[in-house]
Amino acid sequence: MSASSSPGGASGARALVGILAALGVALFALPLVGLLVRAPWSELAGLLASSAVHDALRLSLQSSFSALALSVLLGLPIALWLASGRSALRRAARLVVLLPIVLPPVVGGVALLLAYGRNGILGAPLESWLGISLPFTTAGTVVAAAYLGLPFFVLSAEAGLRTLDRRYLALAATLGAGPTRRFFTVTLPLVAPSLGAGALLCWARALGEFCATQTFAGNLAGTTRTLPLACGVAMETDPALAICLSLILSSISLLVLFVLHRRLELDR
């Protein structure tokens, strides 16, 4: 019997895997432990009651939920179209829509400026014809957050639509249901878990957006300074406040992961 197949060799391999797994988990757990250990718990209530935190939280919720609404409004038709065929045009469109997932966020911010800035491809006509300017405005934070969050919604929604059992649609059609009724009474209920997961990921990504927002919308207190941007500013001026804001964002992220995990368990 070879050494690798002996009981001792198998135990050694399991021990090595266990050690490496423990090191990997520790790599991610230690930063969270650091936040909890260094958090100024006695000052937490006073820091969170400051107007700067309230303004940043208000802007974050406003921009993230607005970005989610925009992502659903535009993302669901995109997902429906992508899931309805496999043409070269759809493959190219999918690459364009999903590119922000892997694109460095600062590059996304620069690209948004070149497209929707005052001298951008669309931004210049918008400002000269309609007087609409997106950079360095609250609306700009919504656009930046939607740009980074929408791909997650499309990815999840398309996956749900592609795995949809078409026999239910065919059965509904034989019973006299038209396309619109089939969509609202059959398609949407069946893909609701995928839509919910995509919406949650989209919202979390929009809430945590930093680089693209700062590049495209700026970092203006009360106008574009969301929680992540406020955290970045606080790191230079008030580290205790930065830790508190990090705790808020970490708690929201953990809650999102918990909800997604529970959803995956229920779907099994």
Side-chain angles (χ1 to χ4, degrees):
M1 181 181 295
S2 64
S4 60
S5 61
S6 65
S11 299
R14 284 196 296 270
L16 178 61
V17 170
I19 292 172
L20 292 175
L23 289 174
V25 172
L27 177 68
F28 293 96
L30 284 176
L32 295 176
V33 173
L35 279 176
L36 295 173
V37 170
R38 297 297 298 274
W41 296 106
S42 60
E43 307 172 34
L44 190 62
L47 290 170
L48 295 181
S50 66
S51 60
V53 173
H54 290 172
D55 288 344
L57 180 59
R58 173 183 58 80
L59 278 171
S60 288
L61 294 177
Q62 178 182 344
S63 62
S64 61
F65 279 111
S66 297
L68 174 60
L70 182 61
S71 297
V72 173
L73 178 65
L74 300 178
L76 186 55
I78 292 174
L80 286 166
W81 179 66
L82 291 177
S84 64
R86 298 183 180 275
S87 65
L89 180 60
R90 286 180 173 84
R91 288 195 295 271
R94 184 181 295 107
L95 288 176
V96 172
V97 172
L98 299 185
L99 180 62
I101 292 178
V102 296
L103 194 69
V106 67
V107 177
V110 172
L112 287 171
L113 270 178
L114 296 177
Y116 307 115
R118 290 186 175 91
N119 297 317
I121 298 171
L122 183 60
L126 280 176
E127 185 167 13
S128 61
W129 298 345
L130 302 176
I132 297 175
S133 179
L134 292 176
F136 309 108
T137 64
T138 302
T141 66
V142 175
V143 172
Y147 181 76
L148 274 297
L150 183 146
F152 291 92
F153 178 79
V154 171
L155 193 66
S156 181
E158 185 191 358
L161 289 166
R162 285 196 178 277
T163 57
L164 176 66
D165 192 338
R166 304 288 171 178
R167 291 176 297 179
Y168 292 107
L169 295 174
L171 179 59
T174 61
L175 295 175
T180 302
R181 186 175 181 183
R182 291 200 301 271
F183 176 74
F184 284 104
T185 62
V186 180
T187 301
L188 282 184
L190 289 176
V191 300
S194 297
L195 298 182
L200 194 58
L201 286 172
C202 171
W203 177 76
R205 182 65 184 86
L207 184 71
E209 172 46 36
F210 179 88
C211 287
T213 300
Q214 182 169 256
T215 305
F216 180 62
N219 192 350
L220 307 175
T223 304
T224 64
R225 184 174 294 171
T226 57
L227 279 176
L229 293 176
C231 184
V233 172
M235 278 299 296
E236 301 177 0
T237 59
D238 191 348
L241 178 59
I243 294 174
C244 292
L245 294 174
S246 298
L247 284 173
I248 294 175
L249 291 168
S250 298
S251 300
I252 294 173
S253 300
L254 287 172
L255 179 61
V256 168
L257 286 177
F258 174 78
V259 173
L260 286 175
H261 182 68
R262 289 291 298 169
R263 171 65 65 182
L264 290 174
E265 285 186 338
L266 291 174
D267 290 342
R268 288 176 181 174

